[in-house]
Amino acid sequence: MFQLKGFFSFSPLIDNARDEVAPFGEISSDSLTYAKDKTFHTNDATPQTTLIVFSSQDSTGYVPTPNPLAVTTLQVGQWLLDRAVSGTLVADPSVMLSNIQAEFSTLISDVSSGEIKESGGIRLPEWVRFSVVSEPDSDVMVWLADESFQRQYTGYHIEVVPPIWPLDDFFKDPIQVKALLDEYDLVEKINEVQTARGEYPYTQLIARQYDYTDPLGVVSPVPTNWMLMIYGQAGNNPDLIRNTLIEYILDNSTHTREEWTEILPDLFLTTEFIITPFWTHYGVPNRELQAGIYSPTVKPKDVVPILKQTTQGPKYTETWIEEEYELSNLIYKSLAFGVVGNPQNRDGITSFYEKFPDYLVVTNDSSDYNRMSVYTQEFFTLLGEMTRVAENLHDMADVPVGMARLTRNGVEYITALYDDVTYLMVGKPYLEELMGV
């Protein structure tokens, strides 16, 4: 399948006021950093519309955007702009989609859109999505609102600037390694970052620190500082960053993962818990005008097979899941969940109960709420926020700052970091698909 993700820039709507970005048809400088190398497409027949392509790929990776597809996409964008400016674009999404399909019946199919919004008398959808007839099995998605693009675009690229080079120097005599790490020069590293950046501004520059551990115990642990240039907000994800670092190290070293784990255990050993809410297990089913309520009562024999499919990652064997899973409940809609800790957790705690022994299923206005420690109360709040996001984790769902979307072996999670531990929660749309609901 060919997939394109882009943005429509509309020249009549651009706001040239200082530090202002128009609600529709103008992309911010920050958003332009979400891909290193973008392409810009225009056409004489659609003079007020520019298609900015952030991602153009098929199953083999990057491919140039086919010109007929770009021309058709520009026509759709210009059509939307013309109707928005004339005030004839309707507020009902179903009517708008029917009108688009009728207008371009021979050119596109499978049309869908995001929420239709209005600002300053201009009404447009957040994004449009369709397949182009001239490019069989294509999926084209183009945003029209910068704010929505920033929240919803999932593309990213991460580049690494290591603390020492070559990486195999980490396996020199520990005293030599310590000396190399002690010579770390921040100014020099910033210059390395600027060289690596070249002409492509990044979205974020972040640093991660992991202790070098001498396997012989000759020297004490020494911090190692790794810089990462992230292109695209979606890349600022603890799991993606960690995996990128591991892949980068293994790709640029002659040593094995096991050898690296011995000297950089904080990086190579996962510390996490995977939480699977039983989204399809209702106590009161959904009604036409009223949402259902989940059931807090589950049978282990029914949910263990689910946990085996949703608990994905390093070292999660079926035997481990069977022996270590725990069941609990959320205050949110009476929802039951299963949780499994990773066997490699650095602090040695793999039990949810051991991590939060005072976790209680109470409302925050209950007299018992304050019987939980502040540490557990803060996690309780985070867990509730994650649950609300995971319940609506569809393709274009907004993900709040501090959380990230993650896919492992096809399983879709929302993730968050709390006290240097990653918590992953399975999304409801994925589980519904898994259970055939």
Side-chain angles (χ1 to χ4, degrees):
M1 169 179 279
F2 171 81
Q3 292 183 309
L4 181 146
K5 293 184 178 180
F7 189 93
F8 280 135
S9 176
F10 297 137
S11 56
L13 303 186
I14 291 175
D15 187 341
N16 285 321
R18 186 182 177 94
D19 298 327
E20 292 292 332
V21 176
F24 302 108
E26 182 177 7
I27 193 160
S28 65
S29 297
D30 183 57
S31 294
L32 283 170
T33 68
Y34 281 25
K36 286 189 69 173
D37 194 11
K38 301 160 288 293
T39 56
F40 294 75
H41 303 263
T42 58
N43 187 273
D44 291 343
T46 54
Q48 296 174 314
T49 301
T50 299
L51 170 64
I52 307 171
V53 175
F54 283 77
S55 174
S56 176
Q57 59 184 26
D58 60 16
S59 58
T60 64
Y62 168 78
V63 293
T65 302
N67 188 62
L69 181 141
V71 169
T72 296
T73 303
L74 284 164
Q75 289 176 308
V76 173
Q78 187 69 44
W79 185 91
L80 287 166
L81 173 63
D82 290 343
R83 274 136 194 85
V85 171
S86 66
T88 57
L89 195 142
V90 298
D92 186 336
S94 62
V95 174
M96 181 197 71
L97 294 174
S98 295
N99 290 341
I100 294 175
Q101 188 63 76
E103 180 71 18
F104 299 98
S105 59
T106 62
L107 298 176
I108 66 174
S109 61
D110 301 323
V111 189
S112 60
S113 77
E115 181 183 351
I116 295 178
K117 297 184 176 182
E118 184 172 352
S119 178
I122 297 294
R123 180 186 295 134
L124 281 168
E126 294 178 281
W127 49 266
V128 289
R129 190 172 191 172
F130 48 84
S131 177
V132 176
V133 174
S134 66
E135 188 71 28
D137 201 23
S138 59
D139 180 17
V140 175
M141 182 163 184
V142 189
W143 280 264
L144 295 83
D146 182 73
E147 183 180 353
S148 300
F149 176 82
Q150 291 195 359
R151 296 195 312 265
Q152 298 167 353
Y153 181 68
T154 57
Y156 70 93
H157 174 72
I158 302 175
E159 294 192 7
V160 179
V161 175
I164 59 176
W165 185 264
L167 293 179
D168 282 349
D169 281 357
F170 272 101
F171 292 89
K172 288 183 174 180
D173 181 276
I175 294 176
Q176 291 179 283
V177 177
K178 182 180 185 304
L180 288 170
L181 293 172
D182 287 344
E183 291 171 1
Y184 186 90
D185 187 302
L186 182 58
V187 173
E188 180 184 319
K189 288 300 170 184
I190 291 295
N191 289 335
E192 284 187 37
V193 168
Q194 288 301 103
T195 299
R197 168 193 178 276
E199 61 185 53
Y200 302 110
Y202 43 74
T203 308
Q204 286 186 314
L205 175 65
I206 67 169
R208 287 291 183 267
Q209 188 175 89
Y210 305 96
D211 282 349
Y212 161 79
T213 301
D214 172 14
L216 302 177
V218 175
V219 299
S220 300
V222 185
T224 71
N225 298 293
W226 304 75
M227 287 191 173
L228 302 104
M229 292 176 288
I230 299 176
Y231 297 84
Q233 189 58 44
N236 190 16
N237 173 311
D239 212 59
L240 295 177
I241 290 169
R242 177 179 169 275
N243 288 338
T244 296
L245 279 170
I246 290 173
E247 289 176 8
Y248 172 83
I249 289 170
L250 296 179
D251 287 345
N252 291 280
S253 168
T254 61
H255 291 267
T256 66
R257 185 185 183 106
E258 289 71 24
E259 290 173 301
W260 277 101
T261 299
E262 196 172 13
I263 65 170
L264 291 178
D266 287 337
L267 172 60
F268 279 81
L269 294 179
T270 303
T271 301
E272 66 180 28
F273 289 84
I274 295 182
I275 299 167
T276 303
F278 301 119
W279 296 112
T280 59
H281 190 58
Y282 286 92
V284 178
N286 285 316
R287 307 295 185 191
E288 186 173 345
L289 300 176
Q290 190 174 28
I293 299 293
Y294 305 106
S295 172
T297 308
V298 296
K299 293 181 179 180
K301 70 179 183 66
D302 293 335
V303 299
V304 170
I306 297 174
L307 294 176
K308 288 180 179 179
Q309 295 186 71
T310 59
T311 306
Q312 297 290 326
K315 304 298 181 180
Y316 289 114
T317 65
E318 289 198 358
T319 299
W320 175 263
I321 295 168
E322 288 173 353
E323 294 179 352
E324 299 297 328
Y325 80 92
E326 294 166 288
L327 300 175
S328 189
N329 298 290
L330 292 154
I331 193 71
Y332 180 75
K333 294 186 180 180
S334 191
L335 181 60
F337 67 88
V339 57
V340 183
N342 192 284
Q344 293 183 316
N345 282 356
R346 284 281 287 134
D347 57 7
I349 298 176
T350 59
S351 163
F352 184 79
Y353 174 77
E354 186 178 352
K355 195 73 176 175
F356 302 103
D358 56 343
Y359 173 81
L360 304 175
V361 185
V362 294
T363 58
N364 56 15
D365 59 357
S366 166
S367 59
D368 290 325
Y369 182 79
N370 288 327
R371 299 177 72 176
M372 292 190 289
S373 65
V374 173
Y375 181 81
T376 300
Q377 287 178 9
E378 291 176 351
F379 175 75
F380 181 96
T381 300
L382 174 63
L383 192 62
E385 293 169 352
M386 290 181 68
T387 305
R388 289 170 177 79
V389 176
E391 189 175 33
N392 297 287
L393 198 63
H394 52 79
D395 285 350
M396 289 297 107
D398 291 343
V399 176
V401 174
M403 298 185 198
R405 183 194 302 268
L406 176 69
T407 301
R408 278 189 193 168
N409 298 333
V411 182
E412 295 177 353
Y413 307 92
I414 190 73
T415 74
L417 195 66
Y418 181 68
D419 192 29
D420 291 328
V421 178
T422 301
Y423 293 88
L424 299 87
M425 181 177 286
V426 178
K428 181 177 181 179
Y430 168 80
L431 195 67
E432 287 182 329
E433 183 178 351
L434 177 69
M435 302 300 293
V437 175

